[in-house]
Each structure stands twice: as C-alpha cells, then as structure tokens.
Amino acid sequence: MNKRHQYQVNFTVAVHVCRHFLRSRDDEPPPDVEALIRKNILPIRPLRQEQTNTRKIRSKSAVSFVYRVA
C-alpha cells in the first residue's frame, strides 16, 4: 500500500476518546478506541519550497522571584 501522506493522530480527539473509555461503566459496552482514533487522523502536509517553518517560537527569559521576598 503506497500512502500519499504521512499521518498524525488528532490528540484532542484521542484524549476525549480515552476519557470516554475510562469513564465507561460496566453495564455499557466500551467504545472501540482504536477505531475512533484511526478515524480521526490528520495528514501531515509537507512545507512548500518557498515556505519556512511557520511556527514562530521564541525563547522566554527566566523570571526571578527575589522581589517577592521581603
């Protein structure tokens, strides 16, 4: 099978599915976690040639709390 894209898990949906599974009671059948997560995967789109990394990540400086000690 030749896949066109690489895929990643939609973690927001995966967390909700896992929470639903863990909260399910004994009297109701548990959801099929793997099928629900597999249904909600997202393709990873490659960057275009003219496009650089779109995430603008800046390092944050350390905050000193010495001024609170009095």
Side-chain angles (χ1 to χ4, degrees):
M1 177 188 249
N2 189 3
K3 291 186 180 180
R4 189 172 186 183
H5 299 284
Q6 290 184 339
Y7 291 93
Q8 67 182 2
V9 174
N10 184 344
F11 286 103
T12 304
V13 173
V15 168
H16 286 289
V17 169
C18 290
R19 284 180 63 205
H20 180 65
F21 174 76
L22 294 173
R23 289 183 176 185
S24 63
R25 297 184 181 156
D26 293 334
D27 58 343
E28 62 185 35
D32 188 3
V33 175
E34 291 180 14
L36 290 171
I37 291 176
R38 191 181 312 119
K39 193 168 79 171
N40 291 296
I41 58 174
L42 303 170
I44 300 174
R45 296 189 180 125
L47 295 175
R48 296 184 196 122
Q49 290 178 352
E50 68 272 1
Q51 191 178 23
T52 58
N53 191 355
T54 57
R55 295 177 62 194
K56 305 224 176 349
I57 301 173
R58 296 181 183 171
S59 61
K60 294 184 179 181
S61 62
V63 178
S64 174
F65 294 101
V66 176
Y67 67 92
R68 293 185 180 205
V69 178

